Amino acid sequence: MTYLIRRLLEALLVFFGISLVIYAMTYVLPGDPIAALAGDRPLAPSVARALREQHHLDDPLLVQYGHYLAGLFHGDLGTDFSGRSVAEQMADRWPVTLKLALTAWGIEAVVGIGLGVLAALRQGTWTDRTVLAFTIGATSVPVFVLAYTAQVVLGVQLGWFPVAGNTDGWPTSYLLPALCVAAFGLASVSRLVRAEVIENLRADYVRTAVAKGLTRRRVVGVHVLRNSLIPAVTYLAIDLGYLLGGTVIIEGVFNLPGIGQLLFQAVRAHAGPTVVGVSTALILIFLAASVLVDLLNSLLDPRIRHD
């Protein structure tokens, strides 16, 4: 319980620090968002004054941030300058981003761990070298290059996947963008698992288990894999938060109407409340995943609780 309380307090401090930085960066951007609402037509001074007062734009930064936190503690992510709730804007887009992120995350976990274990058990063979070559290639190619290439080759030329949109539903419309999103994380997971499995196969407890007559499958599947998954589980849990917020490019390339696309559009339109509200939700998800993985790691290895 002490460990949990300490982790929650640390997460709270991180949230306040990051959210304040994002809030400050958003509201020091050049330009007047209220004047931009009307485009080329100037707003009536009374309307502009009312909107500035409603959104506390004339208050000092820390006062504005305090008003935002007060609303956040009541479950309000804010409203944009047109009066639309940020939470309502996100509600329609969450399913798209969740399907994309969870599909990519599942690919990372299953394929990444499988390739890592396979490479470790076949260390020094062509299988191991093939997996290592794949991981180097996956981490070297920028995600937007991979996305456009996959879209043209696999979508347009070969016709194996839809090119854009989500009209074909899950998993058809999400599989190709999820593969592009998962490529970097999949490579990282496989290399982490490979290194940990190789190290644990040389450990004393493995030699003891083999000396007791345990089969290789049981030694690897029960003892080695359990101790080797801690770094991979940590990476996967943190990466889930990244996947939920880092799909801006992929959603743009494949025209998926998710949270990433909403955030991109809000940044371009200087819609500060939307940028802050969406970013806050993503920060909370990321921190929750971080706390959960620390708790899971403490169950896998009780020594962590006493560090």
Side-chain angles (χ1 to χ4, degrees), residues 35-43:
L37 286 176
D40 296 332
R41 287 179 164 182
L43 281 175

Side-chain angles (χ1 to χ4, degrees), residues 135-166:
T135 59
I136 293 173
T139 54
S140 302
V141 180
V143 65
F144 67 90
V145 174
L146 179 62
Y148 280 117
T149 304
Q151 189 180 49
V152 172
V153 176
L154 300 180
V156 177
Q157 296 180 355
L158 298 178
W160 291 353
F161 301 95
V163 175
N166 61 340

Side-chain angles (χ1 to χ4, degrees), residues 18-105:
I18 296 178
S19 62
L20 178 58
V21 170
I22 292 176
Y23 196 93
M25 292 176 64
T26 301
Y27 281 89
V28 297
L29 291 175
D32 187 352
I34 300 299
L37 286 176
D40 296 332
R41 287 179 164 182
L43 281 175
S46 59
V47 175
R49 191 181 312 111
L51 287 173
R52 297 188 69 85
E53 182 178 349
Q54 177 185 348
H55 293 280
H56 310 285
L57 295 182
D58 294 326
D59 293 334
L61 175 63
L62 291 180
V63 175
Q64 294 183 45
Y65 180 66
H67 285 295
Y68 177 73
L69 287 182
L72 185 63
F73 288 146
H74 291 87
D76 182 14
L77 289 173
T79 57
D80 65 12
F81 297 122
S82 299
R84 295 175 299 173
S85 169
V86 175
E88 291 178 0
Q89 295 180 56
M90 296 176 64
D92 295 334
R93 295 174 177 263
W94 267 123
V96 174
T97 297
L98 283 174
K99 289 176 184 177
L100 176 60
L102 291 177
T103 303
W105 192 76

